[in-house]
């Protein structure tokens, strides 16, 4: 396995994490959460989505969140834009980066955006033109990149076809979403490798869900194949919102687990593991979370174990 010198861990908790929570949080709480993440050192934070409030009530205040941010120098504040209208709203409230979203499965894409894949692609072409005109970078997410809970395994050609359609429009940054969290590290490696072989200059990322417990292994496999950024959600909150009833109530891999893994492997993340764990603790309290899905936050880190060992009562 080839370990890269560095990767970026992108934080998506304020958007993808919170949108799946039943409790509706205030703008002030969201802004505080984003500030904690920025102070912890995250350089890209997905802060909200400019979506219809009746579809995702948690994100109804997206414009207000972007307007009230205490922006830190050097931090990119990204917004999910499901369509052209959302992209224009994001530009109007000074999002630093736009996120386009498409799912490689027609069934899931219809449930998620009420568009076929082809219809969604046409919207994305217009969004790319708007982003270029506004001078705002655009990242393209491809959901269900390897498996769909309604259609089964996703043919790699669908993903390659989406990239091929958007590449001429100037989109240069894509991430694959392991949306259901049931893919193997080998599947992740092979698709990432095919993409990087065909488009060596493409900036490739991976959005991970940990349903089958293989998210961290998949992250390492993708890094070996040339992926450069990895998306996690602090405390492991959130996950897919269009999944079949009865699936596990968690999804997103914890950002602190990604940071811990890469740091332990000698890969520079630009983030300190204990600082990120402390941020996770603060956010757990801020959001009044009863449960998290994070190994690092539960103490599975060498420094935490050593500190406990040094302070434990001696039996002699």
């Amino acid at each position: 396995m080839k370990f890269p010198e560095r990767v970026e861990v992108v934080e998506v908790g304020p958007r993808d994490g919170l949108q799946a929570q039943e409790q509706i949080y205030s703008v002030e709480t969201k802004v505080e959460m984003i500030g904690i993440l920025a102070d912890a050192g995250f350089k890209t934070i997905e802060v909200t989505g400019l979506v219809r409030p009746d579809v995702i009530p948690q994100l109804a205040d997206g414009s207000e969140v972007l307007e009230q941010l205490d922006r830190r120098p050097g931090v990119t504040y990204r917004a999910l834009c499901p369509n052209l209208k959302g992209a224009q709203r994001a530009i109007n409230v000074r999002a630093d980066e736009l996120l386009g979203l498409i799912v490689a499965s027609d069934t899931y894409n219809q449930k998620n955006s009420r568009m076929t894949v082809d219809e969604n692609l046409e919207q994305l072409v217009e969004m790319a033109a708007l982003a270029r005109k506004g001078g705002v970078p655009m990242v393209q997410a491809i959901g269900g990149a390897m498996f769909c809970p309604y259609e089964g395994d996703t043919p790699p050609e669908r993903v390659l076809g989406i990239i091929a359609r958007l590449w001429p429009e100037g989109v240069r940054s894509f991430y694959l979403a392991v949306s259901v969290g049931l893919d193997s590290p080998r599947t992740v490696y092979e698709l990432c490798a095919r993409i990087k072989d065909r488009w060596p200059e493409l900036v490739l990322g991976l959005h991970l869900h940990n349903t089958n417990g293989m998210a961290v292994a998949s992250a390492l496999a993708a890094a070996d194949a040339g992926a450069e950024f990895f998306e996690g959600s602090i405390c492991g909150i959130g996950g897919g919102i269009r999944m079949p009833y009865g699936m596990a109530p968690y999804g997103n891999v914890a950002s602190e687990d990604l940071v811990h893994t890469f740091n332990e492997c000698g890969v520079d993340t630009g983030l300190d593991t204990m600082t990120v764990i402390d941020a996770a603790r603060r956010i757990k309290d801020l959001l009044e979370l009863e449960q998290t899905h994070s190994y690092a936050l539960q103490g599975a880190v060498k420094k935490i174990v050593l500190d406990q060992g040094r302070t434990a009562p001696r039996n002699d």
Side-chain angles (χ1 to χ4, degrees):
M1 176 177 287
K2 303 185 299 294
F3 290 101
E5 289 186 9
R6 73 174 309 276
V7 297
E8 181 181 9
V9 176
V10 173
E11 174 57 51
V12 302
R15 194 280 299 177
D16 196 29
L18 292 187
Q19 74 174 19
Q21 301 299 304
E22 292 185 4
Q23 179 178 341
I24 302 296
Y25 295 99
S26 68
V27 172
E28 292 74 20
T29 296
K30 293 173 183 177
V31 168
E32 183 177 352
M33 175 185 181
I34 294 163
I36 292 171
L37 293 165
D39 289 343
F42 289 96
K43 295 303 182 186
T44 302
I45 304 173
E46 192 170 297
V47 297
T48 191
L50 282 305
V51 302
R52 285 174 43 186
D54 60 316
V55 176
I56 307 180
Q58 184 74 258
L59 304 181
D61 55 8
S63 294
E64 289 81 1
V65 169
L66 278 161
E67 288 171 338
Q68 295 184 33
L69 283 176
D70 179 12
R71 295 177 183 248
R72 311 294 203 270
V75 178
T76 296
Y77 297 96
R78 177 208 282 174
L80 168 70
C81 309
N83 49 39
L84 189 62
K85 183 177 179 180
Q88 187 61 69
R89 286 177 60 198
I91 291 172
N92 290 344
V93 290
R94 298 188 303 115
D96 297 319
E97 188 172 82
L98 308 183
L99 175 66
L101 175 61
I102 191 169
V103 183
S105 147
D106 262 324
T107 303
Y108 197 116
N109 206 62
Q110 287 273 16
K111 291 177 179 291
N112 199 53
S113 66
R114 301 179 184 177
M115 290 185 281
T116 66
V117 169
D118 287 340
E119 290 168 343
N120 203 342
L121 275 171
E122 293 310 308
Q123 279 276 311
L124 292 170
V125 167
E126 294 185 58
M127 283 174 56
L130 182 66
R132 287 197 308 273
K133 183 179 179 181
V136 181
M138 177 173 164
V139 178
Q140 180 58 49
I142 304 176
M146 286 155 263
F147 178 79
C148 168
Y150 305 102
E151 296 183 6
D153 291 334
T154 302
E157 288 71 26
R158 288 191 193 172
V159 175
L160 299 176
I162 290 169
I163 296 173
R165 178 69 182 90
L166 296 175
W167 185 263
E169 306 302 326
V171 182
R172 294 292 181 267
S173 182
F174 292 79
Y175 76 69
L176 308 178
V178 184
S179 305
V180 191
L182 297 177
D183 301 297
S184 74
R186 180 170 182 169
T187 303
V188 171
Y189 173 86
E190 290 176 349
L191 182 55
C192 289
R194 285 186 66 175
I195 292 169
K196 291 297 285 187
D197 285 346
R198 183 166 171 181
W199 293 281
E201 297 177 2
L202 182 148
V203 179
L204 182 62
L206 193 66
H207 176 102
L208 292 152
H209 289 199
N210 200 31
T211 312
N212 65 2
M214 298 183 191
V216 169
S218 292
L220 294 175
D224 189 18
E228 294 137 292
F229 67 94
F230 299 85
E231 300 197 344
S233 177
I234 201 75
C235 299
I237 58 173
I241 60 172
R242 298 287 180 259
M243 298 299 176
Y245 176 78
M247 283 196 66
Y250 57 86
N252 290 320
V253 66
S255 303
E256 55 271 29
D257 286 341
L258 286 175
V259 171
H260 181 213
T261 298
F262 282 117
N263 285 346
E264 280 292 306
C265 290
V267 179
D268 180 20
T269 63
L271 295 159
D272 176 73
T273 299
M274 294 309 301
T275 300
V276 173
I277 290 173
D278 181 63
R281 288 176 178 146
R282 293 174 62 193
I283 288 171
K284 178 180 183 292
D285 293 340
L286 175 69
L287 301 180
E288 299 177 335
L289 300 175
E290 294 184 2
Q291 184 178 17
T292 65
H293 302 282
S294 163
Y295 295 100
L297 187 56
Q298 294 176 46
V301 176
K302 289 177 181 176
K303 184 181 185 307
I304 295 174
V305 173
L306 283 170
D307 288 346
Q308 290 172 339
R310 292 183 182 119
T311 59
R314 295 179 62 178
N315 293 326
D316 56 0

